[in-house]
Amino acid sequence: MDIRFEKVSYVYQPNTPFESRALYDIDLEIKEGSYTALVGHTGSGKSTLLQHLNVLLKPTEGVVNIGDRKITPETDNKNLKPVRKKVGIVFQFPEAQLFEETVAKDIAFGPQNFGVSTEEALELAKKNLALVGLDESYLERSPFELSGGQMRRVAIAGVLAMEPEVLVLDEPTAGLDPLGRKEMMEMFWRLHKEENITIVLVTHLMDDVANFADFVYVLEKGQVIEGGSPQVVFQKVDWLKEKQLGVPQATDFAEKMQTNGTHFAHLPLTAEELADWIVEEGAKNRG
Amino acid sequence: MDPRAKLAGSFYFIAIAFLANSWPSFLFLGAVAISGVLLSKIDLRFFLKGVRPLIWLIIFTVALQMLFTRGGTIYWSWGIFSLSQYGVQNGLFIFCRFMLIIFTSTLVTLTTPPLSMSDAIESLLNPLKKIHVPVHEIALMLSIALRFVPTLMDETEKIMNAQRARGVDFGAGSIIQKIKAIVPLLIPLFVSSFNRAEELATAMEARGYRGGEGRTKYRRLKWGRNDSILVVIFAIVTVGLLFLRKT
């Protein structure tokens, strides 16, 4: 299911003294099966944009195409459930959305809202809890007894249980320890590869973009100012630094090597790429 | 202006609005209120918006007064209902009183930042310390509560969005369905409020907060010339009102 934005603008509280514009003429495309990253400063419109992905907000101008649904400013608020089922959003700090008395019920809540029977929903809960790396002993516990990281996993399982085709992640690893962060990102990567889930990732961590994404959009002040594959976008090191967005660590390191006289045909994005390059060069010099 | 003067002044004004009982006195008070509104330079639409939520209450009371007061010339009557001269007059008076009260309270809330409002309440309640009212605690509670209104509103919206993304339909279906839909919103809000309260208490204690005794203040209220002028104006208004009252 492709998602396409055509000249989308969004204004908060139009025609009041508190009017403020969050998005200007956004054109972007999230292809089926892709892993798209959205980067940009706080307040650049990322959160507003991602709320358009499952019609929590409707554009003030323009069209959002979600699969074969066209969302325009005039779209009715009814019959949006099918869209919301297909596009699951994991908001920032999703542990805040837990409320049921057991983990199982909480995960089953989403599917049940979309008409899945209770037994099936509980089955889904079991399956998705395993997917996020918690064993069955957690099913009957209260979500409020768990640690922050475990709560986060339960909340994410709750979104996954709706079996969305597109998974939107708003800084899913914010506030997690390094190991939790790594496990979480690898779990999403597995889902992306194995279940062919389209992923939209909003993040400040350029290394995550370099490691996982195959497309990246850069937002500034409500506009898309750059879009392309990370390999292309991260070549503009100076431009990105000027925008105070930074580049992946490996790219930064390679850039410093370049100022010292080393030549790269193409700046590496990940530590592995950089290591490969060094090994190759070393072999060449020896040989 | 000093928020104490504004707060006390508005209460006083509302109190004397009940003293008015003739057309000249209402016109006089109305003129005072309108000039206050004009001086504030605030768009009139905001004041009319303030009336909107109370419109049914106003219509109800006015109608009650109009239909059930007897006396004077009776214009129209049907069973226990009657439209009499006094009834119409009383109804209109009550309407004017409502308008005066709403306008002044809107004026105060629109022109005073919430924090100075709570400072004003603390300082006006100060005399109650004599009868062991925990004034400082009340003021602290008020200012913290006000401080967290926007935060909580933000959070409510976030949780609402998260639950909507999980398929909850807020505001749809029958009343029972609507109430059920609120549960996934309320429980997380309660939980986060408890957590927040605990964290806030720890943070305050860690910074040396020990409660009322010996506590200093950062925001001091200053009584200026304008505030004294307000007192004088209100004294004149009171005298004028007593003069215009029908005895």
Side-chain angles (χ1 to χ4, degrees):
Chain A
M1 194 179 63
D2 292 346
I3 298 181
R4 217 152 24 87
F5 280 56
E6 284 167 17
K7 297 239 164 281
V8 169
S9 297
Y10 188 78
V11 181
Y12 280 102
Q13 308 188 344
N15 305 324
T16 68
F18 307 105
E19 182 174 309
S20 71
R21 231 186 143 91
L23 297 179
Y24 298 85
D25 280 339
I26 298 274
D27 280 308
L28 58 77
E29 191 173 13
I30 292 157
K31 287 207 181 69
E32 181 168 335
S34 71
Y35 196 128
T36 306
L38 296 175
V39 299
H41 284 292
T42 328
S44 60
K46 296 178 307 233
S47 300
T48 312
L49 198 155
L50 72 86
Q51 287 180 49
H52 280 83
L53 295 174
N54 74 354
V55 215
L56 291 172
L57 295 177
K58 285 181 291 182
T60 327
E61 275 167 54
V63 186
V64 181
N65 298 289
I66 304 174
D68 44 18
R69 277 291 289 267
K70 262 192 180 349
I71 308 296
T72 60
E74 292 82 29
T75 301
D76 198 5
N77 277 329
K78 287 180 184 124
N79 298 322
L80 294 177
K81 271 198 179 181
V83 179
R84 295 205 175 128
K85 193 201 169 306
K86 280 183 188 161
V87 184
I89 298 193
V90 176
F91 285 92
Q92 251 177 66
F93 300 102
E95 51 271 32
Q97 74 194 32
L98 302 175
F99 72 99
E100 285 280 13
E101 58 230 76
T102 67
V103 167
K105 277 191 197 168
D106 206 289
I107 301 178
F109 177 71
Q112 276 176 310
N113 280 327
F114 293 113
V116 174
S117 73
T118 313
E119 294 91 73
E120 270 178 78
L122 288 172
E123 204 50 47
L124 278 171
K126 209 188 257 177
K127 186 183 136 205
N128 283 289
L129 194 67
L131 209 59
V132 296
L134 294 176
D135 61 62
E136 277 186 25
S137 65
Y138 286 96
L139 276 175
E140 289 311 311
R141 288 175 65 177
S142 157
F144 298 108
E145 296 173 354
L146 307 178
S147 77
Q150 290 168 332
M151 282 166 87
R152 172 96 41 113
R153 284 159 195 263
V154 172
I156 290 174
V159 175
L160 292 178
M162 306 186 315
E163 306 193 303
E165 289 173 33
V166 179
L167 185 63
V168 182
L169 307 164
D170 190 356
E171 295 190 41
T173 58
L176 287 186
D177 57 78
L179 180 66
R181 177 172 293 168
K182 190 162 167 276
E183 284 178 358
M184 197 73 84
M185 289 313 292
E186 279 166 0
M187 192 260 297
F188 292 131
W189 179 247
R190 269 204 319 278
L191 280 174
H192 172 61
K193 280 284 143 198
E194 289 164 16
E195 319 255 325
N196 197 30
I197 292 181
T198 311
I199 290 191
V200 180
L201 173 73
V202 172
T203 188
H204 290 294
L205 302 171
M206 297 303 162
D207 282 308
D208 281 348
V209 179
N211 287 332
F212 300 111
D214 46 39
F215 214 81
V216 55
Y217 283 105
V218 182
L219 274 90
E220 189 184 61
K221 293 184 187 136
Q223 281 170 310
V224 175
I225 51 170
E226 181 69 53
S229 71
Q231 283 77 13
V232 175
V233 172
F234 286 134
Q235 295 306 309
K236 305 177 177 175
V237 177
D238 293 331
W239 181 79
L240 282 165
K241 283 190 174 163
E242 201 181 295
K243 299 279 176 205
Q244 297 181 347
L245 283 167
V247 289
Q249 276 182 359
T251 315
D252 194 42
F253 189 77
E255 221 269 327
K256 283 197 181 110
M257 284 172 73
Q258 207 163 34
T259 49
N260 289 337
T262 323
H263 177 73
F264 286 92
H266 188 272
L267 289 175
L269 302 188
T270 61
E272 285 85 35
E273 267 179 63
L274 182 60
D276 285 349
W277 182 86
I278 291 172
V279 170
E280 226 170 85
E281 283 298 293
K284 252 189 250 169
N285 288 346
R286 238 179 289 137
Chain B
M1 257 179 74
D2 194 306
R4 282 172 297 183
K6 261 191 281 190
L7 199 63
S10 66
F11 274 117
Y12 183 68
F13 191 79
I14 289 167
I16 58 174
F18 287 94
L19 285 178
N21 63 356
S22 65
W23 284 116
S25 57
F26 270 113
L27 277 178
F28 180 56
L29 284 183
V32 173
I34 296 287
S35 50
V37 170
L38 290 180
L39 277 174
S40 74
K41 296 199 183 76
I42 293 170
D43 199 330
L44 249 158
R45 272 177 294 174
F46 283 107
F47 290 93
L48 296 176
K49 263 190 202 151
V51 177
R52 204 185 291 158
L54 289 171
I55 197 91
W56 289 110
L57 184 69
I58 296 175
I59 292 176
F60 179 73
T61 358
V62 170
L64 222 59
Q65 278 291 336
M66 280 194 172
L67 294 175
F68 290 107
T69 318
R70 280 154 204 275
T73 334
I74 292 181
Y75 301 123
W76 174 83
S77 88
W78 181 77
I80 49 166
F81 304 111
S82 65
L83 214 55
S84 66
Q85 187 191 358
Y86 286 171
V88 170
Q89 197 184 16
N90 272 349
L92 289 178
F93 280 175
I94 282 187
F95 177 73
C96 293
R97 240 172 239 157
F98 262 117
M99 289 316 237
L100 284 175
I101 290 171
I102 292 169
F103 270 45
T104 38
S105 45
T106 319
L107 183 63
V108 172
T109 42
L110 281 180
T111 54
T112 321
L115 263 183
S116 28
M117 189 82 97
S118 77
D119 286 340
I121 292 172
E122 174 171 19
S123 120
L124 290 174
L125 286 182
N126 236 352
L128 293 182
K129 265 190 188 152
K130 294 243 160 58
I131 53 168
H132 300 294
V133 177
V135 172
H136 170 74
E137 279 74 13
I138 293 174
L140 183 74
M141 255 153 52
L142 260 175
S143 52
I144 291 178
L146 286 171
R147 155 67 184 76
F148 278 107
V149 168
T151 317
L152 270 175
M153 270 168 51
D154 259 18
E155 193 153 320
T156 313
E157 197 174 312
K158 270 191 204 145
I159 296 174
M160 228 164 140
N161 273 337
Q163 307 293 27
R164 277 203 318 199
R166 291 212 283 168
V168 181
D169 247 343
F170 291 101
S174 67
I175 292 182
I176 294 174
Q177 274 174 316
K178 274 186 199 167
I179 293 172
K180 272 194 183 151
I182 292 179
V183 173
L185 176 63
L186 272 190
I187 293 178
L189 265 183
F190 269 117
V191 171
S192 79
S193 302
F194 284 131
N195 287 340
R196 182 164 287 137
E198 209 166 300
E199 278 162 25
L200 185 68
T202 320
M204 282 170 72
E205 270 174 24
R207 294 195 199 176
Y209 178 82
R210 292 284 174 277
E213 220 43 54
R215 190 164 152 65
T216 53
K217 276 177 98 80
Y218 176 66
R219 290 190 310 271
R220 281 171 191 279
L221 302 170
K222 246 169 112 183
W223 190 268
R225 205 172 54 143
N226 278 347
D227 305 304
S228 309
I229 293 176
L230 185 79
V231 173
V232 175
I233 291 176
F234 271 134
I236 296 170
V237 168
T238 315
V239 174
L241 187 66
L242 289 175
F243 186 69
L244 291 170
R245 243 168 82 92
K246 203 169 61 179
T247 41

